[in-house]
Amino acid sequence: MDLGAFFRNQSYVATLSTTKGDQSKAMSSYKDAQTFDCDLEAAAQACRFALNEMQMLVKKDAGQSFVANEKVRLGFANPAKLEVNLSASGAKTTVAVNSSNFGLGPIQGGHVKGVAETFLSNVKLQLGKNQASAPSAGDDLAGQLEKLAEMKAKGLLSDEEFAAAKAKLL
């Protein structure tokens, strides 16, 4: 079996880099990105939720970028490092993920891919919950009109003030 062909066919990237002192380290890494219909702040909050759900140790939270490490666990896979970068374009935000760990092979490669995919799934889940719980514009308008009517009924607003506030909302 040609090991070079085996590694090229995997969905992760294996890199070999040299460090100071001529020591070498092998890394497995996996990159992915998804675009969501939300603003940058909502995506950042969803990323924080996902990191918390995965019990990752957050090393850096700069609002639009995060770096986190997995807690060390017993097993065959080395702990993964997760780097997340957010970028917004209009009403859409792209969440780009790079997951990596020390070591090569299908176990390490599968692990870093699983960490990245789990993170993106948790972000998507949280954003779905936020969108489902957000009131629609019609519900919000109706609620504001009801509050105005209650204030008028209690005598807190005059007829003129009520009419002006209502016209502003509509």
Side-chain angles (χ1 to χ4, degrees):
M1 172 181 211
D2 179 14
L3 288 178
F6 173 77
F7 284 117
R8 282 190 296 278
N9 290 330
Q10 297 301 309
S11 59
Y12 60 91
V13 178
T15 60
L16 183 65
S17 60
T18 57
T19 60
K20 189 175 180 181
D22 203 27
Q23 299 171 339
S24 62
K25 60 181 179 179
M27 300 282 293
S28 292
S29 66
Y30 179 82
K31 294 181 182 183
D32 198 357
Q34 286 188 15
T35 301
F36 299 99
D37 291 323
C38 67
D39 63 11
L40 196 60
E41 184 56 34
Q45 289 296 337
C47 288
R48 288 181 187 99
F49 167 82
L51 292 169
N52 186 50
E53 281 293 304
M54 295 173 68
Q55 299 179 352
M56 300 283 283
L57 302 172
V58 178
K59 300 292 183 185
K60 174 185 162 192
D61 180 347
Q64 293 184 11
S65 65
F66 303 88
V67 176
N69 294 331
E70 270 188 306
K71 293 180 181 177
V72 177
R73 297 187 175 116
L74 295 177
F76 293 106
N78 294 324
K81 176 181 180 181
L82 192 66
E83 298 171 278
V84 180
N85 290 301
L86 306 177
S87 59
S89 176
K92 295 184 182 276
T93 301
T94 300
V95 178
V97 179
N98 181 22
S99 179
S100 61
N101 70 358
F102 292 107
L104 295 173
I107 292 174
Q108 304 305 329
H111 180 67
V112 294
K113 180 180 179 185
V115 168
E117 289 177 344
T118 300
F119 174 79
L120 288 171
S121 294
N122 281 333
V123 169
K124 184 177 182 179
L125 174 71
Q126 183 63 20
L127 288 172
K129 285 180 183 178
N130 290 348
Q131 290 173 352
S133 65
S136 67
D139 292 342
D140 189 39
L141 178 62
Q144 290 178 351
L145 288 172
E146 286 177 12
K147 287 180 184 178
L148 285 176
E150 288 175 19
M151 291 173 71
K152 182 183 173 207
K154 291 180 180 178
L156 299 173
L157 292 176
S158 67
D159 289 339
E160 295 83 25
E161 292 171 325
F162 174 76
K166 181 179 170 186
K168 186 177 178 181
L169 286 175
L170 299 175

